[in-house]
Amino acid sequence: MRSNKPPPRPSSRSDRTTNRNHSPAGGKPSSGYAGKRLEKRHDGDVERPSGLEARRAAVETLWMVMRRGRFLEEALTEAFSSPQRMGVHARDRAFARLVVTTVLRRHGELGALIQAHLEKPLPENRGLLWQILLSAAAQLLFLETPPHAAIGLAVEQCKADSHARRFDRLANAVLRRVAEAGKAPLAALDGVSLNVPDWLLKGWQQSFGPELAHRIAAASLQEPSLDLSVKADALTWAEKLGGHLLPTGTVRVMHAGRVTELPGFDEGAWWVQDAAAALPAKVLRPESGMRVGDLCAAPGGKTAELVAAGADVTAVDISSARLRRVRENLDRLKMDATLVTADATTWQPDAPFDAILLDAPCSATGTIRRHPDILHVRQQRGLEKLIDLQARLLANAATLVKPRGIVVYSTCSLEPEEGEAQIRRFLSTHPGFSRVPITGAEIGGLNEAITPEGDLRTLPCHVFPGDPSGAGIDGFFVARLCRGAD
C-alpha cells in the first residue's frame, strides 16, 4: 500500500523500481494466436474458451515479466486485453495467474530440470519457447495438471508462435521426460539458491546471518495465506469463512477460492490485508476522533483500519488514479475519509495532525510471497533513489504533527537501508523526536519481531503464537516516533 510516485503498475505495490522497457527492441512476443482454433467447454448453456487461451496469456505474461521487467499485474492485464481473450472465464484467468506465480517462484528449479533434458542450449531466437516449457513444467510438477493436457497444450502454443514452432517436437520430448521423472529430482535441488537472485540472498545473509537468511528466502517462496482485516466481530467472520483468528485480530483463511465470491465481500465486512501489513496502523493506536494523516495511502487498507478505529483520516497520495482505487475500496466498505492528491514530500495541511502514518515507497522485498515478480524485476541498483525519497517523506511527515504527536514510519522491505538505517539517520537530524518502543503485547505476542531498539521487524518466516497454519507473514519494518512538547 504505497505510492507517492507516478503509478508504474496497477496493484498494491506500485512503488517498486525497475527498468521498464515497455517498447523493447523486437516489440512484443510474436503470438500468431488470433484466429486459431479454440477448444470449447460448457457451463450450462454458456460456451466459453477453454484453458488454451488462459495458458497463452500466462506464457505472454511470463515473457513480459522475465524478459522485459514488467510487473505481474500490468503484464497479466495486458495479456488478457486482446479481443479473443475477453470471454475467458474467471476460473481460467485464475488458473493463468496461478501458473504465472508458480513459475515466478520456482523458475530456477523448473529451469534446472528442463535443462537436464536438453542436449544443447536453446538459441536466443526461440520466441516464447522457454516460457512455454516453464509453464508446462510448473503444471506437471506443482499444479497436478494431467500430462496429456499440459504437454498437448504446450505443443499447441509452440505451433502458434512463429519463432517457437520449429521446436514443437523438442518441447513434446522434453516435457514428456519431465513428466516421467516426476517430482523426485526436485529433492536434489536447492530451491533457495536457484530461485532467489544472488545479490538479494547475499544481502540477507549479511543482514541476518546465513541460517536466518535461508529461512527468510525459503518462506518467501511459499504461497501465502489469505489474510483479512475485519470491520467488526472478527471471530464470527473467521467461523463463516472457515478460517481462524490470529492474536492481532486478523482473520486467516488457508483455502479461500475467489475473494469476490466469499461471504462478506459484497457487504464490505472485511478487506484483504496481510497480517503484517495491518501492524503499522495498530501501533499508531488510533482512537475515536483522532486526526490522522495517511501518507502514500493507496490502495487504502491502512486507511480503512484507521477509519474503522474511529479516526478522522486524511489519505494522501500523489496518484489520482490510485486514490480512485482508495475511494472504491472505501465505498465497498461503507467508510469515508478525506482524499487528497498531493506530493507527500512537500504537502502541508491547514492544521497539524495528531498522528501521521507513513507507509513509504520501498523495494518491497518483504512481499515476495505475494509478489514473486519482485524476484525478476527488482534490481539492486535504484535503491538509492528510494532511500532518498523515504528520507524526504519522513522529514516532511515530521512537520505535519502537533507537539506530542506520533509519526509511524513503515516499509514492506527487508533491507536495513530502508528501515533501521533510515530511522537512525532521521533521529540524528531531528532531535525533537524520540522513539516510542513497540511492545510484543501490541503485536499479538510476536516478541521475536521486536528489535533491540524497540522497532518492529517482521520476517516472512515469522509465525504468530498459536497460529495453527504455521504460515508466515510479509516482511515489514515499523518505527513509532513522538514529537516533543517543543
Side-chain angles (χ1 to χ4, degrees):
M1 296 181 183
R2 45 191 96 289
S3 140
N4 207 62
K5 60 233 158 260
R9 70 171 280 182
S11 185
S12 60
R13 291 291 181 270
S14 66
D15 44 65
R16 305 172 190 169
T17 57
T18 186
N19 176 21
R20 282 162 227 227
N21 189 349
H22 286 201
S23 299
K28 292 176 62 178
S30 60
S31 63
Y33 293 152
K36 295 288 182 181
R37 174 180 61 85
L38 293 180
E39 299 175 73
K40 302 287 183 178
R41 64 177 180 240
H42 298 264
D43 289 343
D45 295 329
V46 180
E47 189 178 50
R48 63 185 177 87
S50 77
L52 179 57
E53 281 299 322
R55 285 170 169 84
R56 288 169 171 169
V59 164
E60 290 181 13
T61 300
L62 287 169
W63 190 91
M64 286 187 275
V65 172
M66 300 175 74
R67 295 294 301 273
R68 296 306 180 208
R70 300 281 294 278
F71 283 115
L72 170 59
E73 297 301 331
E74 64 183 22
L76 196 62
T77 298
E78 181 173 333
F80 274 107
S81 65
S82 60
Q84 69 267 30
R85 294 186 186 141
M86 298 303 291
V88 172
H89 194 277
R91 282 194 294 270
D92 287 331
R93 289 173 181 260
F95 179 74
R97 173 186 287 276
L98 180 59
V99 170
V100 171
T101 54
T102 301
V103 171
L104 294 179
R105 287 189 184 98
R106 302 292 181 179
H107 65 99
E109 294 166 279
L110 294 169
L113 295 182
I114 292 169
Q115 293 281 7
H117 298 297
L118 292 174
E119 296 180 358
K120 58 182 179 180
L122 297 173
E124 281 297 318
N125 185 22
R126 59 181 182 244
L128 296 171
L129 175 63
W130 187 242
Q131 284 69 39
I132 292 171
L133 293 173
L134 290 172
S135 171
Q139 294 170 59
L140 291 168
L141 299 177
F142 293 108
L143 304 183
E144 299 182 355
T145 303
H148 71 273
I151 298 172
L153 291 175
V155 171
E156 287 294 313
Q157 291 176 80
C158 286
K159 291 178 178 178
D161 182 79
S162 59
H163 294 293
R165 63 175 52 134
R166 60 194 172 108
F167 300 106
D168 61 333
R169 293 183 179 179
L170 173 67
N172 181 71
V174 168
L175 292 173
R176 286 187 180 279
R177 291 171 191 155
V178 170
E180 290 169 0
K183 294 183 178 181
L186 288 169
L189 301 178
D190 180 3
V192 166
S193 62
L194 287 171
N195 298 316
V196 179
D198 188 58
W199 69 266
L200 186 59
L201 185 58
K202 286 183 177 179
W204 291 346
Q205 291 170 342
Q206 183 175 356
S207 299
F208 303 105
E211 190 275 335
L212 184 53
H214 191 277
R215 289 174 52 206
I216 291 170
S220 297
L221 298 175
Q222 299 302 310
E223 187 174 354
S225 60
L226 176 67
D227 290 351
L228 306 174
S229 291
V230 181
K231 285 199 296 188
D233 204 0
L235 182 58
T236 297
W237 278 108
E239 294 172 352
K240 288 183 179 179
L241 294 165
H244 59 276
L245 197 61
L246 296 180
T248 54
T250 288
V251 172
R252 172 158 288 182
V253 183
M254 297 308 297
H255 305 286
R258 287 179 56 78
V259 170
T260 57
E261 296 175 357
L262 294 177
F265 178 85
D266 290 335
E267 53 264 51
W270 46 261
W271 59 98
V272 177
Q273 187 177 35
D274 185 84
L279 297 179
K282 291 184 186 301
V283 302
L284 186 142
R285 298 173 180 169
E287 299 176 353
S288 179
M290 178 186 287
R291 293 187 65 252
V292 181
D294 183 10
L295 307 186
C296 307
K302 296 176 180 66
T303 300
E305 279 188 273
L306 298 169
V307 173
D312 176 10
V313 182
T314 299
V316 182
D317 201 279
I318 199 170
S319 167
S320 58
R322 287 170 57 79
L323 274 180
R324 283 196 295 272
R325 185 178 176 188
V326 175
R327 174 56 64 197
E328 291 169 358
N329 289 337
L330 291 176
D331 287 346
R332 182 182 66 83
L333 297 169
K334 301 176 178 60
M335 295 179 175
D336 194 22
T338 301
L339 306 188
V340 176
T341 303
D343 183 347
T345 63
T346 57
W347 176 73
Q348 290 288 316
D350 295 334
F353 290 98
D354 298 313
I356 287 289
L357 175 58
L358 169 58
D359 190 24
C362 69
S363 61
T365 52
T367 69
I368 291 171
R369 298 158 64 245
R370 301 185 185 279
H371 303 284
D373 46 331
I374 290 175
L375 295 169
H376 303 266
V377 302
R378 173 66 62 221
Q379 300 175 5
Q380 190 170 20
R381 63 180 181 272
L383 191 60
E384 295 80 6
K385 291 183 178 180
L386 280 173
I387 292 170
D388 176 68
L389 174 59
Q390 293 157 4
R392 289 186 288 118
L393 284 165
L394 189 52
N396 193 51
T399 71
L400 305 183
V401 291
K402 60 181 62 173
R404 296 190 175 88
I406 293 293
V407 173
V408 170
Y409 169 85
S410 68
T411 64
C412 59
S413 167
L414 295 173
E415 316 315 306
E417 300 93 330
E418 301 178 84
E420 292 88 343
Q422 196 69 263
I423 294 303
R424 283 197 299 269
R425 184 163 45 251
F426 173 82
L427 290 176
S428 69
T429 56
H430 293 76
F433 279 79
S434 59
R435 177 185 279 109
V436 181
I438 299 168
T439 67
E442 295 178 271
I443 58 169
L446 193 64
N447 296 321
E448 63 181 330
I450 304 297
T451 71
E453 295 77 20
D455 298 327
L456 176 64
R457 164 63 75 189
T458 65
L459 302 175
C461 56
H462 281 161
V463 177
F464 280 104
D467 180 5
S469 72
I473 54 178
D474 283 351
F476 262 80
F477 174 84
V478 186
R480 181 169 57 197
L481 311 169
C482 181
R483 181 179 175 182
D486 291 348

